[in-house]
Amino acid sequence: MNASSSSPANETEDLQPAFRYDAALADRIEIGWQRRWSEQGVYEAPNPSGPLGNQDADDRPKLFVMDMFPYPSGSGLHVGHPLGYIGTDVFARYKRMTGHNVLHTMGYDAFGLPAEEHARQTGEHPRVNTETNIANMQRQLDRLGLGHDKRRSIATTDVAYYRWTQWIFLQIFQSWYDVESGRARPIAELEDLFEKGDRLTSDGRAWLEMDSTEKRRELDQWRLAYLGEAPVNWCPALGTVLANEEVTAEGRSDRGNYPVFRRPMKQWMMRITAYADRLLEDLDRLDWTDSIKTMQRNWIGRSEGAQISFATSPGPTIEVFTTRPDTLFGTTAMVLAPEHPLVDALTPDVWPENTPHQWTGDAATPSEAVANYRRQVSELTDLERQENQTKTGVYVGAHCSVPVNDLQVPIFIADYVLMGYGTGAVMSVPGEDQRDWDFANEFGIDIIRTVQPPSDFDGEAYVGEGPAINSDFLNGLYIEDAKRSMIDWLEREGHGARTVTYKLRDWLFSRQRYWGEPFPIVYDDTGLALAVPEDQLPVELPELIDWAPRALDEESDPEPPLGRANDWVEANYDLGNGEFSYKRELNTMPQWAGSCWYYLRYLDPSNEERFVDPVIEKYWMTDSAGGVGGVDLYVGGVEHAVLHLLYARFWHKVLYDLNHVSGPEPFQRLYNQGYIQAAAYQDERGVYVEAEEVEESSGEYFYKQSRVTRTFGKMGKSLKNSITPDEMYTAYGADTLRLYEMFMGPLDQDRPWETKSVVGSHRLLQRVWRNLIDENTGETTVVDSPPPDALRRLSHRTIEAVADAMEGLRFNSAIARITELNNELSRSAERVPREVAESMILMLGPLVPHIAEELWERLGNTNSIVHSRFPEADPELLVDESLEIPVQINGKVRSRIVVASDSNDEALQEAALSDGRVKELLSGKEIRKVIVIPKKLVNVVVS
RNA sequence: GCCCGGGUGGUGGAAUGGCAGACACGGAGGAUUCAAAAUCCUUUGCCCUCACGGGCGUGCGGGUUCAAAUCCCGCCCCGGGCACCA
């Protein structure tokens, strides 16, 4: 160990002490402990019973901490991916050290399009590719030292898993929503009710008069999973239909940004709308952020109002939904969606006399006008429709009657009225609705105000509060009262009723893809669906040579690839009347299916009798504090606000209604982690250049001598700004990466990655190491003597602050406080007393488990730090005997005084006023008031 | 347009009515070194001052209070969500 070696190659090696905490030592420590932890199963959380059960009664409180499980991408991880995983790991480790039985694991949401695309390009089976990707991702995650119970890991593509996804589908299929009791019930109970005549069938026909096929058709209409003929989102480029939630506002596919067309097709639907109110109400009981709750509320889109019937001159009655029944007296037109089913019946052969020319769309007859307009509308994309704010439409040539005053108003079709919302028909009240105002303006329609605007109002439609005018019996009433009176009148006179409408639509549940769960459904020659018996599950995916969806266009029909598995499409089952051959359902489930219940399978992953054992489910999913229960902490990205989180809540509620789970909600507390952003650089053409090769010089950025501009964005391939965890392991080790990611800022905030700052976190670990370990021998330098009083107090204050920060997921603050304690140890020339050293190591345990475990062992402990107790602050040591407190004069700090911490107000005031500097500044001033805040400050108010 | 977040030094951030800028990165200076890296020490919001000290300061304007980054009112800017939803 001397520096006089002549060979430069050996020099660094000679200078470097053998036990300096550097990347190489970190690597040895981390790999070693990961192996030992794995061998000893330290992260295994016992169940109350079953194969993962613990013979010894475990009376620790349970805690279920979960990440949103990832799709196993083939491109590997960058440092942005594991941010949330590290956060949950730190929290789970902290809770384990405070005496909780913590369930923390990770699985894979492995069905989905990329594996199928990969298969189409390479010919490799999606399962092979998926398993390769999972193995690779698992390796990257393992290196981070995440404390997962590996026994509980699942992938949604496991046959043993999707068997139960299919089973849950069957529970939903074999249920109906009983509005009277407000919950799902088995379909057999509905059959009973029909049988006894206690319930009316959908069209009022007597059950006993129906033949068996008619009975089946009747029951099928009530199921929570049903085949519906509805306009769906057909995406030819993906060869599949999509859920509303998967289509962007621009009318393109969420994935891939391909055009999506609305077409009626027969598809599997989930009756999520039956749960709209409960999904809405139960949000109040969840510990989620307001922004996510708001997004879900908006998506469900509940509006209260009235349904009103308008009689028409040709005969059919038009039903309208409105949130403003109080404005009925202002109705001067009726506007239907162009595809409204009554339009044809309302359209006469010739224009009525005196039809204004501008209403006719230049057409010779009403039906020509309607046909022309419909064609014109269908040629617009959704985006063009939205951008085109000028109102268009045509008169259909008929009138209807406003029920409250028998005013005859013209009926139009216009594309600003959407078929998908309400009844697809709008009573047009231009005075009180800006869209109707704009329409009335285009077509010269009368405008009648029904709410008195303030005298200074100079806008067009008036949507604000005010007394009703021009409204007969409503005149003078304010909006809420006027609405109530009008609805009362409508109900009394039989012209309408109070109604609630939702934006939420039923969930379109089938996809024309290969790599998804097959439906456990077959068809007999009636064409009606039949459940595959539970004991015949799983229905396994067949082997295929050609996985691709057929290249398709807007006009063609979707063609499920499973239809090409000739040996599979027909199957023999005994469904209670002997064995027959049936045709299989060829669609597969959407990717969301598997993620709707994976948290339940974590609890009891190997159960072959049930999807989860009820005792085990109750143990992990019940909240002893009386909350809704479910996962105690669920961390993931905000992008799942309305997709996964709404679907999973829906499934959970169905399972709850059917007594398969013990609580009404799956996720008690939801936390959205932020994203790691990174600088990205563009050249003058706007092309992204490799961020790693960009150099900074006095505030400007250069790539190969040419100037580039800097922006910040999500880390990834497209911005060429990815940093991989592997690069960080090589340079610093996993503990440093964990520490840096947690130190960058609060978990829920986006934050910019700065590789050059990582070294700060590495230095902290080096200093901790050096304070406790002799870098030359590797022996600990701690001493067994008790710490000086001041140090002991500091360490207890640190414990208090760190524990508090850990509880609140403020890991950045926890790290700052530990740093302060360690800085104090560095400053002192004394060796570190064991008591303080051990506290500090234990506090570091959740954040940087490997180095903490290593130090713990080097200090002579034989038990693992993973299950050691987190230190507890002694309240008596949190208060110092004396305090330094500031003295303000008129709110500005002018001096500080040192006082006994138990000084009373009088003593504090006395001490402050007798302070030399304060006396000096107060001379010649009149003291008006002295504010004393015990232990905080003294403020002297002078004139 | 509507609904949520957010705006604090050169940078990430701390403080949720009581000392603004903890902790860290970066910068400056120093020690060590033949030299460098690493490490260690000092310093670092802005302005005035040799200094002691003083003034200003949490997006902008106003208010409440002995005291405001924090609470209230009005605006500006940034990010996200929804959007012809009757």
Side-chain angles (χ1 to χ4, degrees), chain A residues 96-165:
Chain A
R96 213 177 266 124
M97 292 176 74
T98 54
H100 292 78
N101 183 20
V102 178
L103 198 169
H104 188 218
T105 187
M106 175 74 85
Y108 292 94
D109 191 14
F111 276 126
L113 291 178
E116 207 170 314
E117 293 295 318
H118 181 86
R120 191 171 64 170
Q121 282 158 27
T122 63
E124 188 180 38
H125 194 286
R127 179 170 297 286
V128 175
N129 179 243
T130 300
E131 282 169 5
T132 309
N133 289 349
I134 288 177
N136 185 47
M137 198 157 165
Q138 190 64 57
R139 182 190 54 77
Q140 284 188 298
L141 290 176
D142 283 348
R143 188 61 188 78
L144 261 178
L146 300 173
H148 292 153
D149 184 346
K150 293 290 189 63
R151 305 170 305 168
R152 297 175 182 271
S153 185
I154 56 96
T156 53
T157 47
D158 297 340
V159 177
Y161 179 84
Y162 76 65
R163 166 193 179 174
W164 293 106
T165 309

Side-chain angles (χ1 to χ4, degrees), chain A residues 789 793 879-883 899-903:
Chain A
D789 188 60
R793 286 174 188 277
V879 279
D880 271 322
E881 280 162 13
S882 66
L883 296 168
V899 294
S901 55
D902 55 358
S903 305

Side-chain angles (χ1 to χ4, degrees), chain A residues 652-768:
Chain A
H652 198 88
K653 285 183 183 305
V654 177
L655 291 171
Y656 176 65
D657 286 351
L658 300 175
N659 297 319
H660 293 307
V661 296
S662 52
E665 286 284 339
F667 314 121
Q668 170 96 250
R669 181 178 180 199
L670 176 74
Y671 194 91
N672 294 113
Q673 97 270 8
Y675 288 97
I676 289 189
Q677 315 239 314
Y681 302 89
Q682 287 164 288
D683 62 20
E684 62 279 6
R685 295 166 300 165
V687 175
Y688 286 98
V689 300
E690 279 298 338
E692 226 174 326
E693 291 165 37
V694 171
E695 288 175 351
E696 199 231 298
S697 165
S698 56
E700 307 211 328
Y701 303 95
F702 297 91
Y703 173 74
K704 297 187 173 157
Q705 271 89 56
S706 51
R707 250 194 86 193
V708 291
T709 54
R710 184 177 71 163
T711 52
F712 281 86
K714 227 168 140 174
M715 197 176 266
K717 260 195 254 174
S718 53
L719 302 189
K720 293 196 181 162
N721 59 354
S722 283
I723 307 283
T724 65
D726 305 76
E727 292 170 66
M728 292 299 111
Y729 302 151
T730 309
Y732 301 108
D735 279 335
T736 296
L737 175 62
R738 292 172 60 108
L739 193 65
Y740 175 64
E741 295 217 2
M742 292 300 99
F743 185 59
M744 287 165 83
L747 196 57
D748 58 353
Q749 236 169 63
D750 291 348
R751 73 250 351 239
W753 178 268
E754 263 191 287
T755 297
K756 67 173 187 192
S757 298
V758 180
V759 69
S761 297
H762 191 63
R763 276 182 206 148
L764 171 62
L765 297 181
Q766 269 184 343
R767 289 172 189 152
V768 168

Side-chain angles (χ1 to χ4, degrees), chain A residues 9-225:
Chain A
N10 291 334
E11 210 162 33
T12 46
E13 214 172 289
D14 285 349
L15 279 168
Q16 182 83 344
F19 292 93
R20 162 146 310 166
Y21 184 79
D22 58 9
L25 181 56
D27 191 71
R28 283 203 303 281
I29 292 172
E30 289 166 6
I31 300 289
W33 280 109
Q34 282 166 13
R35 200 187 57 239
R36 284 171 66 179
W37 288 330
S38 167
E39 284 164 5
Q40 294 163 11
V42 293
Y43 302 115
E44 293 177 1
N47 276 346
S49 63
L52 306 187
N54 193 346
Q55 271 19 48
D56 313 317
D58 194 331
D59 54 4
R60 293 176 294 168
K62 69 91 188 180
L63 196 82
F64 188 0
V65 179
M66 197 171 86
D67 299 281
M68 288 186 187
F69 67 165
Y71 178 80
S73 151
S75 50
L77 297 180
H78 59 65
V79 292
H81 289 118
L83 180 67
Y85 307 157
I86 298 170
T88 52
D89 191 50
V90 175
F91 186 69
R93 285 174 182 275
Y94 167 72
K95 284 295 187 179
R96 213 177 266 124
M97 292 176 74
T98 54
H100 292 78
N101 183 20
V102 178
L103 198 169
H104 188 218
T105 187
M106 175 74 85
Y108 292 94
D109 191 14
F111 276 126
L113 291 178
E116 207 170 314
E117 293 295 318
H118 181 86
R120 191 171 64 170
Q121 282 158 27
T122 63
E124 188 180 38
H125 194 286
R127 179 170 297 286
V128 175
N129 179 243
T130 300
E131 282 169 5
T132 309
N133 289 349
I134 288 177
N136 185 47
M137 198 157 165
Q138 190 64 57
R139 182 190 54 77
Q140 284 188 298
L141 290 176
D142 283 348
R143 188 61 188 78
L144 261 178
L146 300 173
H148 292 153
D149 184 346
K150 293 290 189 63
R151 305 170 305 168
R152 297 175 182 271
S153 185
I154 56 96
T156 53
T157 47
D158 297 340
V159 177
Y161 179 84
Y162 76 65
R163 166 193 179 174
W164 293 106
T165 309
Q166 291 173 338
W167 180 84
I168 295 172
F169 174 86
L170 287 182
Q171 302 308 303
I172 301 171
F173 175 70
Q174 286 162 334
S175 305
W176 61 294
Y177 198 82
D178 179 10
V179 177
E180 280 180 24
S181 58
R183 63 182 184 90
R185 297 171 65 185
I187 197 87
E189 295 181 13
L190 179 63
E191 207 173 343
D192 268 1
L193 290 169
F194 283 150
E195 196 84 38
K196 294 186 199 129
D198 290 345
R199 279 293 159 121
L200 279 182
T201 56
S202 52
D203 60 0
R205 280 186 61 200
W207 178 256
L208 296 172
E209 285 169 18
M210 294 182 179
D211 66 27
S212 64
T213 306
E214 286 170 328
K215 283 178 177 168
R216 281 172 62 191
R217 194 167 281 130
E218 174 68 24
L219 290 177
D220 284 355
Q221 291 183 42
W222 292 84
R223 296 179 188 276
L224 284 179

Side-chain angles (χ1 to χ4, degrees), chain A residues 315-469:
Chain A
T317 300
I318 299 173
E319 297 290 341
V320 151
F321 173 74
T322 178
T323 55
R324 293 294 302 276
D326 60 302
T327 64
L328 186 56
F329 284 99
T331 305
T332 50
M334 168 64 63
V335 188
L336 308 185
E339 59 273 48
H340 195 285
L342 291 180
V343 172
D344 292 330
L346 293 169
T347 308
D349 294 335
V350 294
W351 291 116
E353 269 180 58
N354 303 324
T355 298
H357 180 76
Q358 67 177 134
W359 292 9
T360 64
D362 288 333
T365 63
S367 49
E368 191 186 317
V370 166
N372 286 347
Y373 185 71
R374 282 178 167 166
R375 186 169 345 103
Q376 184 192 321
V377 165
S378 70
E379 281 165 5
L380 293 177
T381 65
D382 283 7
L383 188 60
E384 287 166 330
R385 259 180 76 159
Q386 276 171 39
E387 279 173 350
N388 181 10
Q389 290 294 326
T390 316
K391 295 284 179 285
T392 60
V394 290
Y395 175 50
V396 304
H399 280 66
C400 65
S401 168
V402 179
V404 81
N405 57 7
D406 294 328
L407 185 68
Q408 296 296 305
V409 300
I411 306 170
F412 289 81
I413 57 172
D415 68 350
Y416 82 92
V417 176
L418 309 172
M419 194 59 227
Y421 184 76
T423 59
V426 166
M427 56 183 229
S428 184
V429 186
E432 314 304 322
D433 183 295
Q434 189 60 42
R435 295 157 300 181
D436 294 341
W437 178 287
D438 294 340
F439 187 75
N441 236 0
E442 290 296 321
F443 290 89
I445 292 164
D446 296 342
I447 295 171
I448 303 171
R449 288 199 187 279
T450 62
V451 177
Q452 179 67 55
S455 53
D456 60 348
F457 178 73
D458 62 351
E460 300 178 332
Y462 177 68
V463 297
E465 183 59 277
I469 52 170

